[in-house]
Amino acid sequence: MILTVTLNTALDLTYGVPELVPHASHRVSEMSERPGGKGLNVARVLSALGHRTVVTGFAGGATGAVLRELLAGLPTDAPGPGAAPGTAPAPVTDALVTVAGNTRRTIAVVDRATGDTTQLNEPGPLVTADEWAALLGRYEELLAGADAVALCGSLPPGIHVGAYAELVRAARTAGVPVLLDTSGEPLRRGIAARPDLIKPNADELAQLTGGREPMRATRDARRRGAHGVIASLGPDGMLAVTPDGIWQAAPPAKVLGNPTGAGDSAVAGLLSGLVEGLSWPDRLRRAVALSTATVLSPTAGDFDRAAYEELLPRVGIEEHAPAAK
């Protein structure tokens, strides 16, 4: 089982409009809603890959109730871990902790003329000390049955900035590999707790290290405490600096589309490859293929399975020599 933690879950609303014009009224041509937040997005992709997943974090209020109803409607027929592309999805189990506050909404407005997306993100509910303690207890129970854990996304109001560091330490105590995917001060604090992996994008990496050159910044991030750093470089793919070596993976060609959720699909690729025991090059191939297939999907945050299966063998891998000592 793979555990994903989303402290700031969301009800994701996507509106499609023929053209987004500032200061104008728009007629929505299509609308969708689904359970969201980075860890829930990761879980949905893991499910599609055949991995049984448990999600925890916070949900509350009327919005939280809708989120949980939608989560319950996800497929529950399990082919087992390591399923090949094209198999039935595996179950996603709801282990969210109920809070008094209302789960936030995120609103994405997709301009169909250009493919651009405008995102509006609410801050999330105020979480109390008792609710945080309940989450910690639930998390430690779930770690006992987890093969890997992903800690994903922003912190809701009321949660202390070192929360992810606390969750990383608990996973390490339990002997469960942990991937941290957040930004800003929560990432800075979390990396000091020595997670197995972090997955910053280029902007998050620059904010963490102060550097923009990918190789130097990624190595710098690893020296700050992470065992492995997987940097998302957008259309240029991913750079992995790990104890086992350094690799860069890139899609066969640059693509146009909606990048919403592409990073979450990459996390799902990395985690599924980890629990399946794949080599680093194969993990990166899967992560880049899933990320690119998400950009190509007509629905924001989903991945195009046909594109994924076509891209997977075509992702290029380059191995880099380690830095001279």
Side-chain angles (χ1 to χ4, degrees):
M1 176 268 283
I2 299 176
L3 173 63
T4 73
V5 179
T6 313
L7 298 180
N8 209 7
T9 58
L11 180 64
D12 286 347
L13 307 175
T14 301
Y15 298 119
V17 297
E19 184 179 8
L20 183 61
V21 181
H23 315 298
S25 178
H26 296 78
R27 190 174 298 277
V28 175
S29 57
E30 52 194 287
M31 183 269 184
S32 66
E33 61 179 6
R34 65 179 185 183
K38 292 179 72 65
L40 268 66
N41 296 339
V42 172
R44 187 168 52 249
V45 177
L46 285 169
S47 168
L49 294 173
H51 284 272
R52 187 169 67 89
T53 310
V54 176
V55 297
T56 193
F58 299 112
T63 308
V66 174
L67 180 152
R68 297 181 90 156
E69 287 175 10
L70 293 170
L71 191 59
L74 292 177
T76 58
D77 46 337
T87 57
V92 176
T93 300
D94 177 353
L96 297 168
V97 172
T98 301
V99 294
N102 203 36
T103 294
R104 67 185 178 131
R105 296 166 297 178
T106 66
I107 301 171
V109 182
V110 181
D111 184 331
R112 295 303 182 194
T114 64
D116 291 337
T117 300
T118 299
Q119 192 85 15
L120 304 173
N121 296 332
E122 296 178 351
L126 178 65
V127 177
T128 68
D130 287 344
E131 289 165 345
W132 171 244
L135 183 282
L136 284 177
R138 178 74 54 84
Y139 175 70
E140 290 175 358
E141 291 173 359
L142 293 169
L143 283 174
D147 298 309
V149 58
L151 309 175
C152 303
S154 61
L155 300 179
I159 297 296
H160 64 95
V161 74
Y164 280 131
E166 190 171 352
L167 298 179
V168 168
R169 286 192 291 268
R172 290 183 57 77
T173 298
V176 178
V178 55
L179 183 153
L180 176 61
D181 185 16
T182 188
S183 60
E185 192 60 24
L187 174 58
R188 193 179 306 277
R189 300 283 187 93
I191 198 173
R194 302 187 63 78
D196 294 88
L197 292 174
I198 62 168
K199 194 213 65 63
N201 61 32
D203 289 339
E204 292 162 350
L205 191 61
Q207 186 180 19
L208 176 67
T209 67
R212 280 280 178 185
E213 197 285 313
M215 182 67 74
R216 182 176 299 173
T218 304
R219 284 174 166 149
D220 186 3
R222 184 164 180 255
R223 284 193 293 269
R224 292 167 186 258
H227 290 270
V229 179
I230 317 300
S232 291
L233 306 178
D236 294 323
M238 306 184 79
L239 174 64
V241 177
T242 79
D244 302 314
I246 301 172
W247 293 270
Q248 187 159 357
K254 292 186 178 182
V255 299
L256 297 177
N258 184 354
T260 302
D264 302 329
S265 292
V267 168
L270 293 169
L271 275 184
S272 60
L274 168 67
V275 300
E276 292 172 32
L278 298 185
S279 67
W280 269 112
D282 285 340
R283 294 185 212 179
L284 292 170
R285 282 191 184 93
R286 179 178 292 180
V288 169
L290 282 169
S291 179
T292 307
T294 301
V295 174
L296 292 169
S297 173
T299 303
D302 287 337
F303 74 94
D304 184 314
R305 183 176 287 276
Y308 164 62
E309 294 178 9
E310 190 274 333
L311 284 163
L312 186 60
R314 299 174 57 220
V315 172
I317 297 286
E318 179 183 0
E319 185 170 6
H320 293 269
K325 295 185 178 179

